[in-house]
Amino acid sequence: MAKQTIIPFGPQHPVLPEPVHLDLVVEDETVVQAIPRIGFVHRGLEKLVEKKDYTQFVFVTERICGICSFGHSLGYSQTIEHLMGIEVPPRAEYLRVILHELSRVHSHLLWLGLGADAFGFENLFMQCWRIRERVLDIFEKTTGGRVVLSACNVGGTLYDIDDETLKGICATLDVVRREYDAILGAFLNDYSVRSRLEGVGYLSQQQARDLSIVGPFARASNVNNDVRCLRQGGYAYLESFEPIMSDGGDCLARVIVRAKEVYQSIDIIKELAAKIPAGPVMNAPKGKPAAGTQASMRLEQPRGECYYYAKGNGSMFLERMRIRTPTSQNLGGLVVALAGCDLADVPNIVLTIDPCISCTER
Amino acid sequence: MSHSSKSPWLIHYDASSCNGCDIEVLACLTPMYDVERFGIINTGNPKHADIFLVTGSVNDQNIKVVQQIYEQMREPKVVIACGVCACSGGIFKECYNTLGGVDMAIPVDVYAPGCAVRPEAIIDAVVKGLGILEQKRAALDAAKSKKKEA
Ligand code: SF4
């Protein structure tokens, strides 16, 4: 038997935008086992509910993660709305889904870029991020922020987007789609790219199910757990919704699922923008969450299902806030997918689960 | 200004940021802002870097990592705190696991505020950092020639 060596990977590593540490047990060039260690980004945000009241806390949830920032504020707001029985105006529900799906487009483009960087295709990375800037411009125009939007609060949205601007957004998305069409071929058909992705980091359907994998990572192993299928909130207004699946189970399948989801999100935004009703966008909450009330909520974030739980105690402050984020589920799958891979494929596989460490550690 | 100081190499470390500032640091390098056209390159090797960009606040776990990277960097070097988290702890200041801004761990030369910090602010800070880098280099040169004379 070859000698086993442990190679540390991270926390500061060029392919990782975020600090995570992996101890890679290798035999020659093959990874036998990967042992993750986290805790570099833990801030203790769940405990911050004791210091920030429930209307302020939404701004904290936004900063759980800068990539799915809007999603977290949406999930939190929906949980508190459940808790206090607040009705959200329909226009706000539409706007929320539009902004959330725009976030997904930006998140997936960001990820496709990082993925390209991980398999050594620098140009493609730049192209993805160039297209992504168009989405950020939409954010900046409508909410003022590029990354952290502060657009959602308990009871609705803080800003309205007028119909003229919505038309402009759809027009911009057409441009995004055109430009995206032009680069997508490199991900799907380029033989060097395929050779880096095909059959690498395999996770079977059974494993994905056993490990409760969520999001595109699971859908690439043919497990459907897209929370959007439940048609909560604004998703109820969609004509139809079909999750995007693949049965490949490897890195290529994960790229394909996310790549197609960009188109899906663009379609969702355009459908909703075309039929958004007029009306107010905010039904400001009154009172405090009653003592002993509990509520939970699930939301499909770009990286998968995120679970929110809140408990009131009769004051402006919540008793408990719990958030289970997609990456904390998916790390289990990552360890399985890494076992047996080549050392040179590690960055690739780590990235294809689209890890978000600051979500995981909060 | 000596030619070498105009194209600094950067190293970026995410202390405990929310990612918001990290992706803005990366956005600086991509086509929209493209600081690479000035020869500014993001490197992963602390010994290659002139400027250390830190995002996020420090905690007990990562304070050592931040200090290690800083110590590995060669003189002259400049530290830029990107985002209010790195400047002062920001929204996470009251968290039990946050010590505060990056200046708790290492000396900071330039503070770039914003939550998230805008790419324009980062670029501004880097330009400011260039000036400081130049001063530090001049000070080092002066010390060297003094030694020679003596
Ligand atoms: S300053 Fe704001 S955006 Fe930047 S890391 Fe801190 S919370 Fe996130």
Side-chain angles (χ1 to χ4, degrees), chain A residues 5-10 13-17 20-36 111 114-115 117-120 195-197 199-202 217 251 254 331 333-355:
Chain A
T5 321
I6 294 182
I7 299 183
F9 180 83
H13 189 283
V15 298
L16 296 172
V20 63
H21 179 91
L22 289 172
D23 275 326
L24 302 170
V25 184
V26 295
E27 261 171 35
D28 295 335
E29 285 296 307
T30 310
V31 176
V32 187
Q33 200 192 358
I35 307 160
W111 175 81
L114 291 179
D117 192 38
F119 57 65
S195 70
R196 285 299 311 270
L197 300 174
V200 174
Y202 181 74
F217 191 18
C251 287
R254 286 167 223 148
L331 278 179
L334 172 65
V335 172
V336 173
L338 278 175
C341 77
D342 287 341
L343 185 59
D345 281 329
V346 170
N348 223 347
I349 300 174
V350 171
L351 270 186
T352 53
I353 78 154
D354 199 358

Side-chain angles (χ1 to χ4, degrees), chain A residues 11-62:
Chain A
Q12 189 259 333
H13 189 283
V15 298
L16 296 172
E18 288 182 282
V20 63
H21 179 91
L22 289 172
D23 275 326
L24 302 170
V25 184
V26 295
E27 261 171 35
D28 295 335
E29 285 296 307
T30 310
V31 176
V32 187
Q33 200 192 358
I35 307 160
R37 196 179 101 212
I38 56 174
F40 297 94
V41 204
H42 177 64
R43 289 149 288 175
L45 294 183
E46 287 178 2
K47 199 168 163 57
L48 210 57
V49 286
E50 294 165 9
K51 293 186 184 143
K52 306 263 185 209
D53 73 34
Y54 77 90
T55 52
Q56 294 170 328
F57 194 71
V58 63
F59 302 112
V60 176
T61 54
E62 274 190 316

Side-chain angles (χ1 to χ4, degrees), chain A residues 43 62-66 147-148, chain B residues 14 16-22 55-57 82-86 89-92 113-117:
Chain A
R43 289 149 288 175
E62 274 190 316
R63 285 158 178 91
I64 289 174
C65 165
V147 180
V148 177
Chain B
D14 165 354
S16 64
S17 94
C18 78
N19 262 343
C21 288
D22 305 328
T55 51
S57 48
C82 292
V84 287
C85 279
I91 194 164
F92 309 136
C115 180
V117 56

Side-chain angles (χ1 to χ4, degrees), chain A residues 75-113:
Chain A
Y76 171 79
S77 302
Q78 287 180 333
T79 316
I80 304 301
E81 283 147 14
H82 264 265
L83 193 70
M84 300 175 62
I86 299 168
E87 226 14 85
V88 180
R91 188 175 176 89
E93 295 270 35
Y94 275 73
L95 287 180
R96 282 175 168 189
V97 173
I98 290 174
L99 285 169
H100 188 46
E101 292 300 326
L102 277 172
S103 305
R104 192 183 316 275
V105 173
H106 118 74
S107 173
H108 280 0
L109 281 171
L110 177 145
W111 175 81
L112 285 164

Side-chain angles (χ1 to χ4, degrees), chain A residues 88-100 102 142 156-157 159-170 234 237-239 267-282:
Chain A
V88 180
R91 188 175 176 89
E93 295 270 35
Y94 275 73
L95 287 180
R96 282 175 168 189
V97 173
I98 290 174
L99 285 169
H100 188 46
L102 277 172
T142 51
T157 56
Y159 312 102
D160 196 356
I161 302 178
D162 61 49
D163 293 336
E164 216 33 59
T165 315
L166 282 173
K167 278 206 196 90
I169 293 178
C170 293
Y237 303 110
L238 288 177
E239 283 296 326
D267 290 340
I268 292 176
I269 297 164
K270 289 179 90 170
E271 180 183 341
L272 291 184
K275 60 182 186 188
I276 186 168
V281 293
M282 187 49 135

